Structure formats: structure tokens, C-alpha cells
Amino acid sequence: MNKFRRNSIYYVETLLKEIEENTVDIRQRIEDVRDEEEEYLENMPESLVSSAKGEAANEAIEALDDAVAVLQSAEADIAVALEFLETARA
């Protein structure tokens, strides 16, 4: 592989690392919101837990958990892609 293509791969790696950092930041922010919603639900009076408000909080928590799982998967996929690019550049 010539220097130009190595540099191109290096540039792509740099971009992908930025995406990885942003993905981690976004996941952590979603986890924070989920944790706040869980705390809200835990402190909700029993009479409201089974009400529409309680159900909405549960649904939000589940959706946020799903988003976290997808982002964790994306983080793993990005890490694998970075390994492949490093191999290609070597």
C-alpha cells in the first residue's frame, strides 16, 4: 500500500474515532436521562405507578434501555472497524 492510501485510511480512522467518542458521550447522556426517569418512577406514589404516568415512565425507561443497547452495539462495531483499518494500514 502506498503512502497516499495509508494516509487516507489514517484520516478515516481519525474520523471514526471521533464518531466513537461522540457515540460514547451520547450513550452516557441517554443513560443519565434513563437513570433520572428510573428515580422519578421509584419516588412516585404507589397509586401513580400503575397509572398512565407510571406506565409512560416505564415505557420511556424501556425505550431508553433499547437506545443504550443499540449504541453499545455500535461502539463494539466501531472498535472492530478500527481494528480492520489498522490492519489494512499496517
Side-chain angles (χ1 to χ4, degrees):
M1 180 172 297
N2 68 22
K3 184 177 178 178
F4 177 77
R5 286 191 293 273
R6 274 193 187 89
N7 287 339
S8 293
I9 291 172
Y10 180 77
Y11 177 70
V12 170
E13 286 177 288
T14 301
L15 293 175
L16 200 50
K17 286 176 185 177
E18 288 178 24
I19 292 170
E20 181 179 42
E21 290 171 7
N22 288 333
T23 303
V24 169
D25 182 53
I26 292 166
R27 178 186 47 80
Q28 290 171 340
R29 288 173 188 243
I30 292 170
E31 288 172 334
D32 290 345
V33 171
R34 182 209 49 214
D35 293 347
E36 290 173 11
E37 190 69 9
E38 285 177 338
E39 186 176 333
Y40 165 73
L41 183 62
E42 289 171 5
N43 292 321
M44 187 179 285
E46 277 298 315
S47 61
L48 293 179
V49 171
S50 59
S51 72
K53 280 188 176 186
E55 288 179 23
N58 269 319
E59 288 175 10
I61 292 166
E62 288 177 17
L64 293 167
D65 278 336
D66 290 343
V68 166
V70 169
L71 290 170
Q72 287 172 329
S73 178
E75 290 169 33
D77 290 342
I78 290 169
V80 171
L82 284 168
E83 289 175 16
F84 287 140
L85 290 171
E86 185 178 329
T87 299
R89 192 172 42 86

